[in-house]
Amino acid sequence: MPAHKLYFNSIHDHSTQNTLVMIETAKAQKTAMKEDSSVRSQMMQFNHEEVLFCNDNETGLKAIIAIHNTVLGPGLGGCRIWKYEQEQDALNDVLRLSRGMTYKASVAGLNLGGAKAVIIGDSRQIKNEALMRRFGRFVDDLGGKYITAEDVGSNSRDMEYIHMETRHVTGIPASMGGSGDPSPVTAYGVWLGMKAAAKERWGNDSLNGKKVTVQGTGNVGENLIKHLVDEGAKVYITDINKDKLKEVADKLKVEVVDSEKIFDLDVDIYAPCALGATLNTENINRLKCSVIAGAANNQLADEKVHGEMLMKKGILYAPDFVINAGGLINVYSEFLGNYSRERAITQADKIFNITAEIFHVSAKENIPTYLAANRLAEARIETIGKVKLNH
Ligand code: NAD
């Protein structure tokens, strides 16, 4: 049985040669016509360029690749493997995440667009060499418009399999010339963004003596805690994984706090490094901190509502996609060739000034920080888009 692809391309897509809907069988065509209105209307909401539905009965692969915007360069974004309850949930996720990548790359000053992929299924059950290589073939068919990488549920071993089928993959192991684990660079950028926030709030970027709650002691959280401890901050940590929590607490000599109580703690800084959407109405009402700066993606449950709520409450929010760009910067260095961690760190150093600039614009224009960051991203895409069109 041949694998099937369903393409949905935006009619505004400046880069694709594909026709509006390309399908392989009459049956698939019928289904596509039915799905077209809903998928397309979701694509139109944030102006996605292209969505590819991938299916392969042999390996059981069911994936969606969403390319949001390629004005600045090819769309780079991780491949998430997750047990979505329904295909619609997977589509929502991939559309939202791919858009986030466009903004992240733009603000970080990278020549990359935004894209993301999701593979539907429990990573512990569905993953194998054949499935990952089949996914790699789909990535290859896109001819470099989408470059994949690690994300939740996938790892550098999976990237190795994908690499057997396509060169449009990053995050392969360091032993193979790749960039390896991006978490230390992500944590470094988050730490710099937090320091920029400290400077804006307290007039000094030192975190010495500041009380910081870190939610999530995983790959990024643990590296961030090291920076904070080294600088003399008083760190409180929480995680639902009790073994990891104890390991980090023992190793770095920091205090464990109850997950339920973290939003009531009298601390200076809250660093979300676990899941997204922890900044909702209930939690924000409870928060006593002055600064929020962490690694988790999509921290604001509702960007507009909760971005404004934080501003009204006088809490300085360092936009997540700005300060957690270190991981993307790291794989970008690999994408450029001859990966160098030093080059990635030098690029990540810019996160301090970029974050400071966003705070400056937010204060000057009296707008929430998330909005200042979004406008910065959009302005670069517009300006560089015109440069490219004119030459
Ligand atoms: P990870 O899976 O290594 O760590 C996440 C940790 O959060 C785990 O230890 C998990 O047990 C814990 N956790 C989950 N739910 C929790 C809860 N409700 N309360 C407390 N702890 C909880 O992931 P990571 O690579 O450290 O990434 C952390 C966050 O940063 C994620 O949101 C990720 O999307 C984002 N991020 C990571 C990178 C990177 O380079 N790894 C880059 C950008 C953004």
Side-chain angles (χ1 to χ4, degrees):
M1 274 287 284
H4 284 116
K5 297 181 241 182
L6 289 179
Y7 279 107
F8 294 86
N9 296 329
S10 160
I11 45 176
H12 303 297
D13 182 354
H14 57 90
S15 56
T16 182
Q17 300 298 312
N18 293 309
T19 50
L20 285 180
V21 178
M22 194 185 87
I23 47 177
E24 291 180 15
T25 66
K27 196 176 165 202
Q29 197 159 20
K30 246 185 179 173
T31 317
M33 295 304 282
K34 253 195 248 162
E35 287 182 18
D36 179 54
S37 59
S38 63
V39 175
R40 189 175 302 284
S41 64
Q42 289 172 77
M43 287 172 72
M44 284 172 73
Q45 193 185 352
F46 294 115
N47 206 11
H48 279 77
E49 286 180 9
E50 196 167 337
V51 174
L52 172 64
F53 286 76
C54 319
N55 179 65
D56 182 57
N57 289 351
E58 293 295 327
T59 57
L61 176 73
K62 287 185 178 32
I64 312 175
I65 300 173
I67 300 174
H68 176 248
N69 186 297
T70 56
V71 170
L72 295 176
L76 195 157
C79 169
R80 179 165 292 192
I81 307 179
W82 194 256
K83 195 172 180 291
Y84 295 97
E85 294 285 322
Q86 296 173 19
E87 184 157 294
Q88 182 59 52
D89 299 337
L91 180 63
N92 288 346
D93 212 23
V94 78
L95 291 177
R96 197 176 48 93
L97 291 165
S98 55
R99 175 175 175 257
M101 294 309 294
T102 300
Y103 281 72
K104 191 182 296 202
S106 177
V107 168
L110 309 178
N111 292 323
L112 287 177
K116 200 91 181 180
V118 294
I119 295 180
I120 301 169
D122 185 334
S123 64
R124 287 164 302 184
Q125 288 168 11
I126 64 161
K127 271 201 313 189
N128 56 49
E129 178 183 353
L131 182 128
M132 295 315 301
R133 289 182 72 160
R134 188 65 193 90
F135 175 71
R137 299 263 3 119
F138 280 109
V139 172
D140 200 60
D141 284 350
L142 289 166
K145 200 189 281 182
Y146 169 59
I147 299 155
T148 198
E150 277 180 56
D151 199 77
V152 177
S154 62
N155 57 34
S156 57
R157 182 75 183 119
D158 302 319
M159 298 307 119
E160 259 186 89
Y161 288 136
I162 295 170
H163 189 239
M164 291 173 188
E165 302 298 334
T166 183
R167 59 192 174 88
H168 306 302
V169 53
T170 55
I172 54 176
S175 57
M176 290 177 65
S179 58
D181 178 13
S183 308
V185 187
T186 304
Y188 178 68
V190 171
W191 175 62
L192 291 180
M194 193 183 281
K195 286 174 77 61
K199 181 147 195 222
E200 177 74 15
R201 176 76 348 144
W202 298 293
N204 186 326
D205 73 10
S206 171
L207 298 171
N208 187 7
K210 291 283 180 277
K211 289 186 265 177
V212 187
T213 310
V214 179
Q215 180 188 31
T217 56
N219 296 321
V220 181
E222 182 175 350
N223 282 293
L224 175 65
I225 296 163
K226 279 186 206 148
H227 286 293
L228 295 172
V229 169
D230 286 349
E231 210 185 338
K234 169 85 181 123
V235 183
Y236 303 90
I237 62 168
T238 183
D239 198 296
I240 50 169
N241 179 340
K242 299 298 167 211
D243 294 338
K244 186 75 203 287
L245 188 63
K246 185 172 178 335
E247 182 198 314
V248 174
D250 291 348
K251 194 166 32 170
L252 301 174
K253 310 274 176 282
V254 288
E255 196 174 315
V256 169
V257 291
D258 189 335
S259 290
E260 298 301 311
K261 298 195 181 130
I262 54 159
F263 298 108
D264 306 307
L265 288 179
D266 193 3
V267 292
D268 301 300
I269 302 168
Y270 162 51
C273 296
L275 300 175
T278 59
L279 296 171
N280 54 37
T281 304
E282 193 209 326
N283 293 346
I284 294 174
N285 276 328
R286 286 163 63 189
L287 280 175
K288 298 189 174 67
C289 62
S290 307
V291 164
I292 296 170
N297 283 310
N298 302 316
Q299 292 167 23
L300 300 170
D302 181 313
E303 201 176 59
K304 189 169 179 329
V305 172
H306 301 115
E308 281 172 10
M309 199 174 163
L310 288 172
M311 186 177 168
K312 283 202 187 107
K313 209 176 162 184
I315 298 177
L316 184 64
Y317 168 64
D320 47 17
F321 70 86
V322 177
I323 70 167
N324 75 10
L328 181 63
I329 290 169
N330 195 55
V331 289
Y332 180 63
S333 181
E334 179 180 348
F335 165 74
L336 291 177
N338 297 323
Y339 171 74
S340 137
R341 176 121 322 182
E342 205 187 328
R343 183 171 63 193
I345 290 287
T346 305
Q347 179 85 16
D349 277 333
K350 295 178 184 159
I351 290 176
F352 184 96
N353 284 341
I354 295 168
T355 313
E357 170 66 12
I358 285 162
F359 292 147
H360 174 72
V361 172
S362 156
K364 196 170 126 210
E365 297 183 14
N366 197 27
I367 55 171
T369 53
Y370 87 85
L371 191 56
N374 283 359
R375 287 187 185 168
L376 187 70
E378 286 159 7
R380 179 164 178 255
I381 293 168
E382 200 184 328
T383 316
I384 304 304
K386 282 184 191 148
V387 171
K388 288 190 172 189
L389 266 183
N390 294 335
H391 295 278

PDB file of all heavy atoms in Angstrom, residues 121-135:
ATOM      1  N   GLY A 121       0.657   9.288  18.679  1.00  0.00           N
ATOM      2  CA  GLY A 121       0.840   7.979  19.314  1.00  0.00           C
ATOM      3  C   GLY A 121       1.717   8.086  20.542  1.00  0.00           C
ATOM      4  O   GLY A 121       2.394   9.096  20.755  1.00  0.00           O
ATOM      5  N   ASP A 122       1.705   7.034  21.336  1.00  0.00           N
ATOM      6  CA  ASP A 122       2.516   6.990  22.553  1.00  0.00           C
ATOM      7  C   ASP A 122       3.957   6.659  22.152  1.00  0.00           C
ATOM      8  O   ASP A 122       4.213   5.581  21.615  1.00  0.00           O
ATOM      9  CB  ASP A 122       1.939   5.898  23.471  1.00  0.00           C
ATOM     10  CG  ASP A 122       2.651   5.856  24.812  1.00  0.00           C
ATOM     11  OD1 ASP A 122       3.828   6.276  24.875  1.00  0.00           O
ATOM     12  OD2 ASP A 122       2.034   5.402  25.785  1.00  0.00           O
ATOM     13  N   SER A 123       4.867   7.577  22.426  1.00  0.00           N
ATOM     14  CA  SER A 123       6.244   7.389  21.952  1.00  0.00           C
ATOM     15  C   SER A 123       6.860   6.097  22.471  1.00  0.00           C
ATOM     16  O   SER A 123       7.681   5.474  21.806  1.00  0.00           O
ATOM     17  CB  SER A 123       7.112   8.591  22.340  1.00  0.00           C
ATOM     18  OG  SER A 123       7.207   8.685  23.736  1.00  0.00           O
ATOM     19  N   ARG A 124       6.429   5.665  23.665  1.00  0.00           N
ATOM     20  CA  ARG A 124       7.017   4.434  24.237  1.00  0.00           C
ATOM     21  C   ARG A 124       6.536   3.198  23.492  1.00  0.00           C
ATOM     22  O   ARG A 124       7.137   2.142  23.545  1.00  0.00           O
ATOM     23  CB  ARG A 124       6.657   4.310  25.721  1.00  0.00           C
ATOM     24  CG  ARG A 124       7.411   5.303  26.593  1.00  0.00           C
ATOM     25  CD  ARG A 124       6.772   5.434  27.939  1.00  0.00           C
ATOM     26  NE  ARG A 124       5.381   5.856  27.817  1.00  0.00           N
ATOM     27  CZ  ARG A 124       4.571   6.132  28.834  1.00  0.00           C
ATOM     28  NH1 ARG A 124       5.004   5.999  30.058  1.00  0.00           N
ATOM     29  NH2 ARG A 124       3.330   6.524  28.641  1.00  0.00           N
ATOM     30  N   GLN A 125       5.405   3.331  22.779  1.00  0.00           N
ATOM     31  CA  GLN A 125       4.860   2.161  22.085  1.00  0.00           C
ATOM     32  C   GLN A 125       5.083   2.167  20.577  1.00  0.00           C
ATOM     33  O   GLN A 125       5.322   1.130  19.974  1.00  0.00           O
ATOM     34  CB  GLN A 125       3.363   2.046  22.374  1.00  0.00           C
ATOM     35  CG  GLN A 125       3.093   1.607  23.804  1.00  0.00           C
ATOM     36  CD  GLN A 125       1.632   1.764  24.185  1.00  0.00           C
ATOM     37  OE1 GLN A 125       0.779   2.009  23.347  1.00  0.00           O
ATOM     38  NE2 GLN A 125       1.357   1.630  25.473  1.00  0.00           N
ATOM     39  N   ILE A 126       4.995   3.329  19.961  1.00  0.00           N
ATOM     40  CA  ILE A 126       4.998   3.337  18.480  1.00  0.00           C
ATOM     41  C   ILE A 126       6.379   3.497  17.857  1.00  0.00           C
ATOM     42  O   ILE A 126       6.575   3.164  16.701  1.00  0.00           O
ATOM     43  CB  ILE A 126       4.068   4.432  17.909  1.00  0.00           C
ATOM     44  CG1 ILE A 126       4.575   5.835  18.293  1.00  0.00           C
ATOM     45  CG2 ILE A 126       2.629   4.238  18.347  1.00  0.00           C
ATOM     46  CD1 ILE A 126       3.994   6.925  17.416  1.00  0.00           C
ATOM     47  N   LYS A 127       7.342   4.031  18.638  1.00  0.00           N
ATOM     48  CA  LYS A 127       8.619   4.389  18.012  1.00  0.00           C
ATOM     49  C   LYS A 127       9.450   3.176  17.602  1.00  0.00           C
ATOM     50  O   LYS A 127       9.621   2.244  18.384  1.00  0.00           O
ATOM     51  CB  LYS A 127       9.453   5.221  18.993  1.00  0.00           C
ATOM     52  CG  LYS A 127       9.200   6.688  18.885  1.00  0.00           C
ATOM     53  CD  LYS A 127      10.293   7.559  19.425  1.00  0.00           C
ATOM     54  CE  LYS A 127      10.846   7.236  20.760  1.00  0.00           C
ATOM     55  NZ  LYS A 127      11.748   8.259  21.272  1.00  0.00           N
ATOM     56  N   ASN A 128       9.953   3.186  16.390  1.00  0.00           N
ATOM     57  CA  ASN A 128      10.948   2.204  15.960  1.00  0.00           C
ATOM     58  C   ASN A 128      11.679   2.779  14.755  1.00  0.00           C
ATOM     59  O   ASN A 128      11.304   3.848  14.250  1.00  0.00           O
ATOM     60  CB  ASN A 128      10.304   0.842  15.638  1.00  0.00           C
ATOM     61  CG  ASN A 128       9.222   0.957  14.593  1.00  0.00           C
ATOM     62  OD1 ASN A 128       9.428   1.576  13.549  1.00  0.00           O
ATOM     63  ND2 ASN A 128       8.054   0.389  14.863  1.00  0.00           N
ATOM     64  N   GLU A 129      12.696   2.080  14.308  1.00  0.00           N
ATOM     65  CA  GLU A 129      13.524   2.602  13.226  1.00  0.00           C
ATOM     66  C   GLU A 129      12.692   2.878  11.970  1.00  0.00           C
ATOM     67  O   GLU A 129      12.810   3.945  11.356  1.00  0.00           O
ATOM     68  CB  GLU A 129      14.656   1.606  12.903  1.00  0.00           C
ATOM     69  CG  GLU A 129      15.516   2.080  11.752  1.00  0.00           C
ATOM     70  CD  GLU A 129      16.606   1.096  11.358  1.00  0.00           C
ATOM     71  OE1 GLU A 129      16.790   0.091  12.071  1.00  0.00           O
ATOM     72  OE2 GLU A 129      17.270   1.348  10.334  1.00  0.00           O
ATOM     73  N   ALA A 130      11.822   1.918  11.613  1.00  0.00           N
ATOM     74  CA  ALA A 130      11.069   2.057  10.362  1.00  0.00           C
ATOM     75  C   ALA A 130      10.159   3.286  10.404  1.00  0.00           C
ATOM     76  O   ALA A 130      10.079   4.052   9.436  1.00  0.00           O
ATOM     77  CB  ALA A 130      10.248   0.800  10.115  1.00  0.00           C
ATOM     78  N   LEU A 131       9.472   3.456  11.535  1.00  0.00           N
ATOM     79  CA  LEU A 131       8.536   4.591  11.644  1.00  0.00           C
ATOM     80  C   LEU A 131       9.285   5.918  11.539  1.00  0.00           C
ATOM     81  O   LEU A 131       8.869   6.827  10.814  1.00  0.00           O
ATOM     82  CB  LEU A 131       7.754   4.505  12.963  1.00  0.00           C
ATOM     83  CG  LEU A 131       6.718   5.604  13.161  1.00  0.00           C
ATOM     84  CD1 LEU A 131       5.349   5.015  13.501  1.00  0.00           C
ATOM     85  CD2 LEU A 131       7.135   6.561  14.268  1.00  0.00           C
ATOM     86  N   MET A 132      10.415   6.023  12.224  1.00  0.00           N
ATOM     87  CA  MET A 132      11.156   7.285  12.200  1.00  0.00           C
ATOM     88  C   MET A 132      11.748   7.539  10.800  1.00  0.00           C
ATOM     89  O   MET A 132      11.761   8.671  10.324  1.00  0.00           O
ATOM     90  CB  MET A 132      12.269   7.306  13.255  1.00  0.00           C
ATOM     91  CG  MET A 132      11.802   7.270  14.698  1.00  0.00           C
ATOM     92  SD  MET A 132      10.416   8.361  15.147  1.00  0.00           S
ATOM     93  CE  MET A 132      11.025   9.982  14.760  1.00  0.00           C
ATOM     94  N   ARG A 133      12.190   6.479  10.150  1.00  0.00           N
ATOM     95  CA  ARG A 133      12.763   6.661   8.807  1.00  0.00           C
ATOM     96  C   ARG A 133      11.666   7.014   7.800  1.00  0.00           C
ATOM     97  O   ARG A 133      11.888   7.808   6.885  1.00  0.00           O
ATOM     98  CB  ARG A 133      13.511   5.389   8.379  1.00  0.00           C
ATOM     99  CG  ARG A 133      14.781   5.215   9.174  1.00  0.00           C
ATOM    100  CD  ARG A 133      15.561   4.014   8.752  1.00  0.00           C
ATOM    101  NE  ARG A 133      16.189   4.186   7.443  1.00  0.00           N
ATOM    102  CZ  ARG A 133      17.217   3.468   7.017  1.00  0.00           C
ATOM    103  NH1 ARG A 133      17.719   2.525   7.792  1.00  0.00           N
ATOM    104  NH2 ARG A 133      17.740   3.670   5.827  1.00  0.00           N
ATOM    105  N   ARG A 134      10.476   6.433   8.021  1.00  0.00           N
ATOM    106  CA  ARG A 134       9.351   6.792   7.127  1.00  0.00           C
ATOM    107  C   ARG A 134       8.997   8.271   7.304  1.00  0.00           C
ATOM    108  O   ARG A 134       8.728   8.976   6.330  1.00  0.00           O
ATOM    109  CB  ARG A 134       8.126   5.892   7.445  1.00  0.00           C
ATOM    110  CG  ARG A 134       6.996   6.059   6.451  1.00  0.00           C
ATOM    111  CD  ARG A 134       7.410   5.574   5.063  1.00  0.00           C
ATOM    112  NE  ARG A 134       6.473   5.985   4.016  1.00  0.00           N
ATOM    113  CZ  ARG A 134       6.570   7.123   3.327  1.00  0.00           C
ATOM    114  NH1 ARG A 134       7.528   7.991   3.565  1.00  0.00           N
ATOM    115  NH2 ARG A 134       5.685   7.413   2.377  1.00  0.00           N
ATOM    116  N   PHE A 135       9.024   8.719   8.560  1.00  0.00           N
ATOM    117  CA  PHE A 135       8.796  10.140   8.812  1.00  0.00           C
ATOM    118  C   PHE A 135       9.884  10.968   8.102  1.00  0.00           C
ATOM    119  O   PHE A 135       9.586  11.989   7.472  1.00  0.00           O
ATOM    120  CB  PHE A 135       8.801  10.424  10.325  1.00  0.00           C
ATOM    121  CG  PHE A 135       8.692  11.883  10.667  1.00  0.00           C
ATOM    122  CD1 PHE A 135       7.502  12.572  10.475  1.00  0.00           C
ATOM    123  CD2 PHE A 135       9.797  12.579  11.152  1.00  0.00           C
ATOM    124  CE1 PHE A 135       7.409  13.936  10.762  1.00  0.00           C
ATOM    125  CE2 PHE A 135       9.707  13.935  11.447  1.00  0.00           C
ATOM    126  CZ  PHE A 135       8.518  14.613  11.246  1.00  0.00           C
TER     127      PHE A 135
END
